[in-house]
Amino acid sequence: MGRIKIELPETIIFTARVPIRITDLNYGNHVGNDSILSIFHEARMQMLRSMGYVNELGIEGEIGLIVSDVAIVYKSESFYGEALDIHIGAADFSKYGFDLIFQAIESQSDREVARGKTGMVCLDYKTRKVAVVPQSLIYKLESSMG
């Protein structure tokens, strides 16, 4: 079986610190696979807020973001009491979307916990149809890339 590989982007555009909550643990007493996706979502929301957006529904008027696909590669366990630094990069821009790439690093040990990718597509929430990525969002993402 082929393994998923997630290549890290050259440029990190945002870093969020997310503490591990007791509710993030599964029966193995480590962070569950579903919780890693929620942690990436929290980091994405922190990044969008830092860019001046209130949420994913209103990037520009009725145009918002929706996740079209997800991939996660687990590198090590993470436990209650730790905090993860979530580094985010952007890649593969198209007319209707782009990818966000995540790397979760345990903040004290620098141990890599996981990598993830979410395909982000713009959606007109009024018409419920795919929309062109707003120039304002492209500008903010590219400005963060340096």
Side-chain angles (χ1 to χ4, degrees):
M1 173 174 83
R3 307 302 305 167
I4 295 172
K5 292 181 175 56
I6 298 174
E7 299 296 324
L8 298 176
E10 291 182 23
T11 304
I12 300 301
I13 61 174
F14 186 80
T15 298
R17 180 162 287 176
V18 180
I20 301 303
R21 305 165 304 166
I22 196 69
T23 55
D24 292 325
L25 304 186
N26 63 17
Y27 56 86
N29 207 31
H30 55 234
V31 173
N33 56 16
D34 55 329
S35 293
I36 290 291
L37 183 57
S38 293
I39 289 166
F40 288 163
H41 178 65
E42 171 64 29
R44 183 174 68 246
M45 290 306 302
Q46 288 183 28
M47 179 191 74
L48 290 172
R49 283 188 171 246
S50 78
M51 295 176 170
Y53 301 118
V54 175
N55 59 43
E56 294 173 312
L57 299 176
I59 297 300
E60 187 172 294
E62 298 288 331
I63 306 300
L65 293 171
I66 190 168
V67 174
S68 63
D69 58 47
V70 174
I72 299 174
V73 176
Y74 303 95
K75 299 290 191 173
S76 66
E77 296 175 294
S78 188
F79 304 96
Y80 179 69
E82 294 179 338
L84 299 179
D85 288 334
I86 311 300
H87 304 301
I88 304 173
D92 295 330
F93 289 88
S94 73
K95 182 176 181 178
Y96 300 107
F98 53 92
D99 287 342
L100 290 177
I101 311 297
F102 302 87
Q103 183 185 35
I105 303 289
E106 198 284 316
S107 65
Q108 296 297 309
S109 67
D110 273 346
R111 180 182 77 253
E112 186 174 25
V113 173
R115 292 181 185 188
K117 179 200 86 76
T118 57
M120 305 303 297
V121 172
C122 287
L123 183 74
D124 183 324
Y125 276 91
K126 186 174 183 179
T127 65
R128 310 305 283 189
K129 294 184 189 251
V130 173
V132 174
V133 179
Q135 277 302 122
S136 59
L137 178 58
I138 292 171
Y139 174 78
K140 289 178 181 182
L141 290 168
E142 287 179 345
S143 295
S144 299
M145 295 169 77

